[in-house]
Amino acid sequence: MAIDPNHLSQTATLTFAEEFDAFTPWNGTTGLDTVGAPQWSTKVRATGTMPYNDELQYYVAGADGAAGGTAGLPDPFQVSDGALTISAAPAAPDIQGSIEGQTYTSGMINTYHSFSQTYGYFEIRAQLPAAHGMWPAFWMLPADGSWPPELDVMEMVGGDPNTLRNTVHSQVSGSQRVDATHYLDEANVAVPDMTSGFHTYGVDWEPDTITWYYDGHPTFQAATPADLDKPMYLIANLAVGGAWAGDPDAASAQMTIDYIRAYASAPTAASPSDTFHFRDASTGDDLYTTSASERAYVAQNLPSYTAEGVAWMAPAASADTVDVFRFVDTRTGEHFYTASPTERDHIDAMMPSFHDEGVAFQAYADPALAGADALTVQRFLDTATGEHHYTAGTAETAAFEKAQAGGSWVHEGAAFTVHAPSPGMLDL
């Protein structure tokens, strides 16, 4: 099943996490590789250096750059406050003979020895350099040493901080043919400035489709090539120069990585449900439904109700959720919602005009379980009419309270907690 990066706790299981509380190069048992894996022995030298592509950097192995390292090369890796900074810097003339004549040193990390996976969601949170000529990337190669395929989650050049490149390479299919055994699908996506701070870059690689994300927004989608069906390992690096990036115009630059994480589809997880909102302006009634058929019926047969879009996403039923019950007042047509079984029982027993319509959707028993995208719905009562109104989130609640200040509306408190709706597609 597809993984939703905005609802990872419901759609995925964490399989790998590098949080950079410390940095340990591969030592034969644990750590991250800082030299190239099998594919790098032909077009890419074992160090990771790419002179064939006119790149200028030599990727310093973690052990060589560390204090006391035998090569005496500058260390491109620094950890501080839970983040890894990879620095690219001009190489002093006296060390260029030790680094294959390259004029910059930089760093590359990968998980060739420590982690690989077939399908799933893969994400990096990083701050990218603004300097011209810098070429940061987060990408994936097959653990069996073959090439292509290749899956490029993020590439950017410092001279063009608003263009994000998403690419998949294949031997068998793609919208662009490079040569007899190399095809690709790619997009150059206009996004907000990637050098302005930390941003997330992710890809959901499924058997049939690949979907790329920037800050949780989908940016590009392509069909999964038939040869992209094997375990892949993860790579993050800061290249310098090359035909695309151009010559560097700064003495040094940094790529800072907060984390790298991987997820597999939760085997039994169900996706959160879109909860559609309709409002009857004449009565003030709020109608919420997760049913596609009810949504279609209201849109086609109840012209007084205006579609307000997706109000929130209701979690799938689990041990962490409770039922939200829906009533309709047969006298006024008003719909009423409660997550309290006690309140439901009271209405059933004492308010005969309210028809019990059963469970409308799910909400969290404990708001803390909703995660980072929690959305708490507040309930208001008009003491003059008995009408209820619901606001989703702090901004909407504050706006309603301001608009009704001094009136007959009373804030009854939190009604239930769900998820904020997923953001829409970025303009490509």
Side-chain angles (χ1 to χ4, degrees), residues 210-233:
I210 306 168
T211 308
W212 286 259
Y213 291 88
Y214 172 70
D215 284 343
H217 298 263
T219 55
F220 180 51
Q221 189 172 81
T224 302
D227 58 346
L228 197 67
D229 62 349
K230 60 186 73 176
M232 307 273 277
Y233 64 94

Side-chain angles (χ1 to χ4, degrees), residues 122-124 136-139 151-154 201 234-236 260:
F122 308 86
E123 183 177 87
I124 187 172
F138 176 52
W139 48 305
L151 184 52
D152 300 330
V153 185
M154 173 276 291
Y201 306 86
L234 310 176
I235 308 158
I260 296 174

Side-chain angles (χ1 to χ4, degrees), residues 59-187:
Y59 289 126
V60 179
D64 290 340
T70 57
L73 300 178
D75 187 354
F77 305 109
Q78 300 294 327
V79 168
S80 178
D81 298 326
L84 171 69
T85 295
I86 300 176
S87 296
D94 62 345
I95 69 168
Q96 290 182 16
S98 301
I99 60 172
E100 305 176 21
Q102 297 293 85
T103 56
Y104 271 73
T105 57
S106 188
M108 173 269 296
I109 57 175
N110 69 71
T111 65
Y112 173 68
H113 282 105
S114 56
F115 173 79
S116 62
Q117 181 173 299
T118 306
Y119 308 128
Y121 179 70
F122 308 86
E123 183 177 87
I124 187 172
R125 183 174 186 263
Q127 181 167 353
L128 306 184
H132 189 276
M134 297 297 156
W135 183 354
F138 176 52
W139 48 305
M140 304 167 65
L141 286 174
D144 66 5
S146 62
W147 187 90
E150 174 183 321
L151 184 52
D152 300 330
V153 185
M154 173 276 291
E155 292 181 279
M156 184 277 284
V157 294
D160 189 6
N162 295 102
T163 301
L164 169 64
R165 179 173 288 185
N166 304 141
T167 312
V168 58
H169 301 260
S170 168
Q171 294 189 43
V172 297
S173 65
S175 62
Q176 302 177 48
R177 180 172 179 172
V178 180
D179 57 40
T181 59
H182 185 187
Y183 300 80
L184 59 83
D185 284 302
E186 70 176 354

Side-chain angles (χ1 to χ4, degrees), residues 247-266:
D247 292 333
D249 63 0
S252 61
Q254 292 77 40
M255 173 185 184
T256 301
I257 305 172
D258 180 25
Y259 64 73
I260 296 174
R261 297 172 185 163
Y263 300 81
S265 293

Side-chain angles (χ1 to χ4, degrees), residues 368-410:
L369 298 172
D373 60 349
L375 183 70
T376 298
V377 177
Q378 305 289 328
R379 195 173 81 186
F380 291 83
L381 169 67
D382 186 343
T383 56
T385 65
E387 176 188 350
H388 286 87
H389 181 68
Y390 305 83
T391 58
T394 55
E396 187 175 319
T397 298
F400 183 79
E401 288 180 321
K402 182 178 179 180
Q404 303 300 330
S408 56
W409 286 93
V410 174

